[in-house]
Amino acid sequence: MNVPFVDLQAQYRTIKGEIDAAIARVIESSSFVLGREVEAFEAAFAGYVGARFCVGVSNGTAAIQIALQACGVGAGDEVIVPANTFFASAEAVSTAGATPRFVDADPASYNIDPARIEAAITERTRAILPVHLYGQSADLDPIFEIAARHNLIVIEDAAQAHGARYKGRRVGALARAGCFSFYPGKNLGAYGEGGAVVTDDREIARLARMLRDHGSERKYHHDIVGYNFRMEGIQGAVLAAKLPHLDNWNELRRRHAARYDELLANSGLTLPREEAYARHVYHLYVVLSDARDELQKSLAGAGVQTGIHYPVPVHLQPAYASLGHLPGDFPESERQAARVLSLPMFPELTGGQLARVAEAVNEVVARPQPSATRA
Ligand SMILES: *Cc1c(COP(=O)(O)O)cnc(C)c1O
C-alpha cells in the first residue's frame, strides 16, 4: 500500500457537492475578484479566529508583507524572525523593505526560542514575527513581554496553524495582526492561492485593504502605492465552504498524531511534543532522526511519501548570503534542519495508511545501521 504525503483529492470527495456549488455560484455571478463571496469568507474567518477584521489577500506571503507595512514597518527597520521556518516568513520582511534578524529555535517545540530574542534586538528593531511552526503555537506571552519592554510590534505568522490555540485562544488574533496562508495543502486550503490578514485594529485593516488593491479605497482613486494582492472570488467561496469543516479536520489530525505517538513510541525517533500552553493542529507531524536521509529513502522505497520542512534554515539560504551568516550561527535550527522528517499527515488518512507508515518506520529503524568505520 502506497501512502501519499497529503491527499487533496480524498478531501474533495468528502465535500464535492458543497465545493462544486460554491464554485458554480462564483461563475454564475462572475464576481471573480473580491466581491460578495470573499466578503462572506472574511466575516466568517474573522469570527472563527476571534478578530474584528479579516482582509482576504492573494497568498500568505503577501499577507505577511502587507501586515508589516500596515503596521508601519519598512525600510531601515529590522524584524525578528525564527531561523527555522519556511523561507516566506523572512522573504515577506524583505519585500516589505525591512531586514530579517534571525533567532534560533527552541529544541523541544521547534518554535522561536523567546529566551534568545532579547540578544537580537538593536536600535533598528521594530517588530517580532513569531511563526506557529508545524501547527503548534509559539510561546507568545514571553514574546509579548519582551515586545512591551522594547516597544516592538508583534505580528503572528499563523500560516501553518489555522485553529491552533495558545492558552485556550485561537492563534492569529493574539497579536497586533495575524497572517494566514490558504495554500492548498494548509489546514484550511483554497483551490489555488489565498491568504488573509486578521486584526482587531481598524486602521491596520483599512491600510491592509488599501495595500491589497493598488492603494485604493475608491475605484481609480489611489492614496498610496500598493499592490495587486486581491483574493479571488472562487477562493473566497471555496474557503467559506470549507471553514465549517476545519475544527473536525484538525480533530482528525490530532487523533492521527496521537496514534503515531503510540505506534512510534519505541522507534527511537524524537516525536513531536505538545506544549502545555498549546493546542497543536498538526499541520505537519515532524519526527527527528539522526539518519534522516536514509530513513526517507527507505520509506520512499516502501511506498511511504515524506517531506522535509525544512532542509536549509533561512539564515543559510543563498538568498540571504548578503547577511553574512555562517554555519554554526543558529546551531539548534541547523541541528533540526539536518534531522527533521515529516510523515504523511492529512485528515483523511485512514487507519490502514497510518498503520502502514508506522510499520514501515519501525521496520527501517530496527534494521542494523551500516557501520560508519571500515573493517
Ligand atoms: C505557507 C507559509 C507561508 C506563505 O504562504 P503562501 O500562501 O505560500 O505565500 C508563510 N509562512 C509559513 C510558515 C508558511 O508555512
Side-chain angles (χ1 to χ4, degrees), residues 59-61 64 85-86 88-89 131 157 159-160 181 183 186 193-194 310:
N59 59 73
T61 314
I64 301 169
T85 181
F86 178 50
S89 310
V131 180
D157 179 345
Q160 301 189 358
S181 163
Y183 187 76
K186 302 288 163 99
E193 306 270 1
Y310 297 91

Side-chain angles (χ1 to χ4, degrees), residues 11 51 76 99 122 125 131-132 154-155 163 204 252 260 295 309 311 332 340-341 356 364:
Q11 179 167 93
T99 305
T122 73
T125 309
V131 180
H132 307 304
V154 180
I155 296 174
I204 291 170
L252 289 167
Y260 272 142
L295 176 58
H309 302 91
E332 186 50 41
V340 288
L341 187 72
R356 174 72 198 113
V364 175

Side-chain angles (χ1 to χ4, degrees), residues 8 63 97 104 111 127 130 136 144 214 283 297 310 339 374:
L8 298 178
D104 211 355
N111 274 315
Q136 174 157 252
F144 290 148
H214 303 295
H283 171 56
K297 218 170 123 212
Y310 297 91
R339 288 169 178 77
R374 252 176 297 168

